[in-house]
Amino acid sequence: MSTLTKELLDESSMRGRGRPRDEDARARILQAAIQILESTCFINATADAIAERAGASKATIYRWWPNKEAVFIEALRETTAQELPFPDTGDLREDIRQQLHNFVKLLTGRRGRTFKAFIAAGQSDPEVAEAFRNLWIKPRRAQTRAVLERHQQAGRIAPEIDLECFIDLLYGPFYLRLVGGHRPLTPALADAITDMALAAATHSLSESVDGSGETIRSVPDPAL
Amino acid sequence: MSTLTKELLDESSMRGRGRPRDEDARARILQAAIQILESTCFINATADAIAERAGASKATIYRWWPNKEAVFIEALRETTAQELPFPDTGDLREDIRQQLHNFVKLLTGRRGRTFKAFIAAGQSDPEVAEAFRNLWIKPRRAQTRAVLERHQQAGRIAPEIDLECFIDLLYGPFYLRLVGGHRPLTPALADAITDMALAAATHSLSESVDGSGETIRSVPDPAL
DNA sequence: GATTTTCGAAACTTTCCGGTATCGTAATTT
DNA sequence: AAATTACGATACCGGAAAGTTTCGAAAATC
């Protein structure tokens, strides 16, 4: 975080003559960008605000990034890269429960505002939308899918379940409350979704147990 | 839509002396507002754009609405008031399936862009966010809940299911794909969510049949 | 020490847009 | 006919913010 990241690797060979880039300023700018998204909305996330908070100059920002959005995108990449790893204990229920609880904790914290800001900004800026997809959504989905695939192959998720849709079923409710704001994001929701998602994933499984190999998706008589 | 809505009700009594408000212009302005949200993003939804498209004057807009956002809010109210009624046939599966298919159709059409615009604008304008909640989200949820409550009382949904969470489970995946853009909104998703949501709603139901009155949320042995 | 490149600070330009004011005209009441 | 109010068109005002430029100082190479 301090002035430790000076000359690194063998970039010294391709270094020009003049004063080198201030890596510390780079870090401060990215951190300021994220902090602004965490506190206020995108509307207040101006280039001046970043510069002021980072103790840097606007000229410095525009020397290294083509525009304001690029700063936010790089900041998102650096801060969310390692977040929310899907648990893989072998216990499907516990994996899901843990993950959804962590997700709630993430969304109710500072990161929730960051995501809302990116979702909002993505509507008018395709590059921001693509960045949010590629840097946040897709990596999480890929990792989630990897774990769920193992559970499915182990028979703990019914084989006819479309995992992509199942992942939407898992995370969708939380994004809905995040952007809808009709109800708060609580651990209770995480528990409820865990129960329901697990029932959905194992339903046909428990049915195929009692008899027909044909996976009949029979429902209790609609008329009571 | 034409000049039919002139003097209506007994407002003629409280009409002043001068030229009356041009109700046709009002309709054109609201229609223009919605059309702009449907075509481009909120970013292009300027007051000038509304005026031009409506063939009206900006002065007329600001005479009847306090600001730009109020126009969009009233336009949302008028256009979405009657949309997406939850089916109530008594057949839970068919009710859900129909509703989700209609929802997909709605979101993939022009209305999807409108919603994205409102979600985005709501991040920086609390009044817009509240309007979207009160005019779209909450009415749909209330109606959905009313129908689902009857299904639950009739025993077609397990009694321990929290309907609010279940509603989030139903609609969440579609909002997620709408704002995430990682996968397209397809009827196939509606079918998949229908199957999984129904399994979730009836799972404990089929379990409580075979024995214990205690609602144990037991799962098939995690280790296969 | 000369050169080169970056730095922070701040002024600056440019563009855009929300909202207001003006003006001549149209519609309605009295 | 007079008074009143709304209309469309258009010019205008003020602020905000993206991005550029200028400037003197700092940090590196040669």
Side-chain angles (χ1 to χ4, degrees):
Chain A
M1 190 70 63
S2 59
T3 339
L4 289 173
T5 53
K6 269 186 279 195
E7 57 270 352
L8 66 164
L9 308 174
D10 52 339
E11 283 192 4
S12 51
S13 57
M14 58 173 61
R15 168 117 42 90
R17 283 182 54 189
R19 173 176 175 173
R21 175 178 186 177
D22 187 341
E23 294 294 335
D24 195 56
R26 174 183 174 274
R28 290 198 320 268
I29 289 170
L30 292 178
Q31 190 183 359
I34 277 293
Q35 285 178 350
I36 288 174
L37 287 195
E38 286 170 349
S39 56
T40 76
C41 295
F42 220 107
I43 200 77
N44 300 51
T46 70
D48 291 280
I50 299 175
E52 185 187 353
R53 182 170 215 130
S57 168
K58 251 203 312 182
T60 305
I61 296 177
Y62 283 102
R63 178 182 307 277
W64 299 107
W65 289 277
N67 51 51
K68 190 181 57 153
E69 288 71 25
V71 181
F72 291 118
I73 290 173
E74 187 167 347
L76 180 73
R77 175 184 293 115
E78 297 218 340
T79 55
T80 64
Q82 307 297 340
E83 276 180 340
L84 205 70
F86 200 94
D88 191 9
T89 66
D91 182 342
L92 176 59
R93 164 176 293 274
E94 204 49 38
D95 283 357
I96 290 178
R97 211 188 67 87
Q98 273 287 333
Q99 175 75 347
L100 296 188
H101 273 268
N102 289 339
F103 193 35
V104 165
K105 215 173 295 176
L106 196 77
L107 290 182
T108 53
R110 297 184 297 269
R111 197 51 36 89
R113 280 189 287 273
T114 306
F115 289 170
K116 285 204 285 186
F118 264 88
I119 291 172
Q123 302 312 319
S124 56
D125 188 327
E127 292 192 28
V128 173
E130 189 189 347
F132 185 64
R133 259 198 310 277
N134 292 337
L135 297 180
W136 174 252
I137 291 189
K138 286 191 175 177
R140 266 76 216 165
R141 292 180 70 87
Q143 209 219 336
T144 301
R145 184 181 178 108
V147 176
L148 292 182
E149 267 175 355
R150 285 196 287 276
H151 281 294
Q152 192 172 37
Q153 280 159 9
R156 290 184 286 269
I157 295 177
E160 72 271 24
I161 292 284
D162 181 327
L163 287 185
E164 289 298 323
C165 297
F166 185 69
I167 293 172
D168 288 320
L169 190 82
L170 273 185
Y171 294 117
F174 303 94
Y175 284 100
L176 174 51
R177 289 207 181 180
L178 181 72
V179 302
H182 51 286
R183 292 228 153 189
L185 278 156
T186 62
L189 176 67
D191 284 329
I193 300 298
T194 300
D195 290 342
M196 292 193 286
L198 210 72
T202 58
H203 175 246
S204 305
L205 213 58
S206 59
E207 272 202 332
S208 65
V209 168
D210 49 344
S212 63
E214 191 86 19
T215 38
I216 305 165
R217 203 172 298 266
S218 68
V219 196
D221 185 11
L224 184 64
Chain B
M1 191 69 64
S2 61
T3 339
L4 289 175
T5 51
K6 269 186 281 195
E7 57 271 353
L8 64 164
L9 310 173
D10 51 340
E11 282 191 9
S12 51
S13 57
M14 58 173 64
R15 167 115 44 89
R17 283 183 55 190
R19 174 177 176 172
R21 176 178 186 178
D22 187 341
E23 294 294 335
D24 195 55
R26 173 182 175 274
R28 290 199 320 268
I29 288 170
L30 293 178
Q31 191 183 0
I34 278 293
Q35 286 177 349
I36 287 173
L37 287 195
E38 287 170 350
S39 56
T40 76
C41 295
F42 221 106
I43 199 77
N44 299 52
T46 70
D48 292 278
I50 300 176
E52 186 187 354
R53 182 171 214 129
S57 166
K58 251 203 314 183
T60 305
I61 295 177
Y62 283 102
R63 179 182 306 277
W64 299 107
W65 290 276
N67 50 51
K68 190 181 60 151
E69 287 72 26
V71 181
F72 291 118
I73 290 172
E74 186 167 349
L76 179 73
R77 175 184 294 116
E78 297 218 339
T79 55
T80 64
Q82 307 297 339
E83 276 180 342
L84 204 69
F86 200 94
D88 191 9
T89 66
D91 182 342
L92 177 59
R93 164 176 294 276
E94 203 49 37
D95 284 356
I96 290 178
R97 211 187 68 86
Q98 274 287 333
Q99 175 74 346
L100 297 188
H101 273 268
N102 289 339
F103 194 35
V104 165
K105 216 173 294 176
L106 196 77
L107 290 182
T108 52
R110 296 184 298 270
R111 196 51 36 89
R113 280 189 289 272
T114 306
F115 289 170
K116 285 204 285 186
F118 264 88
I119 290 172
Q123 303 310 319
S124 55
D125 188 327
E127 291 192 29
V128 172
E130 189 189 347
F132 185 64
R133 259 197 310 277
N134 292 337
L135 297 180
W136 175 253
I137 291 190
K138 286 191 175 176
R140 265 76 215 164
R141 291 181 70 89
Q143 210 218 337
T144 301
R145 183 180 179 110
V147 175
L148 292 183
E149 268 176 355
R150 285 195 288 276
H151 282 294
Q152 193 172 36
Q153 280 157 10
R156 290 185 287 269
I157 295 178
E160 71 271 24
I161 292 284
D162 181 327
L163 287 185
E164 289 298 323
C165 297
F166 184 69
I167 293 172
D168 288 321
L169 190 82
L170 272 185
Y171 294 118
F174 303 95
Y175 284 100
L176 173 51
R177 288 206 181 181
L178 181 73
V179 302
H182 51 287
R183 292 227 153 188
L185 279 155
T186 63
L189 176 66
D191 285 328
I193 300 297
T194 301
D195 289 342
M196 293 193 285
L198 211 72
T202 58
H203 175 247
S204 305
L205 211 60
S206 58
E207 272 202 331
S208 65
V209 168
D210 49 346
S212 62
E214 191 84 18
T215 38
I216 304 164
R217 205 173 295 269
S218 67
V219 197
D221 185 9
L224 184 66

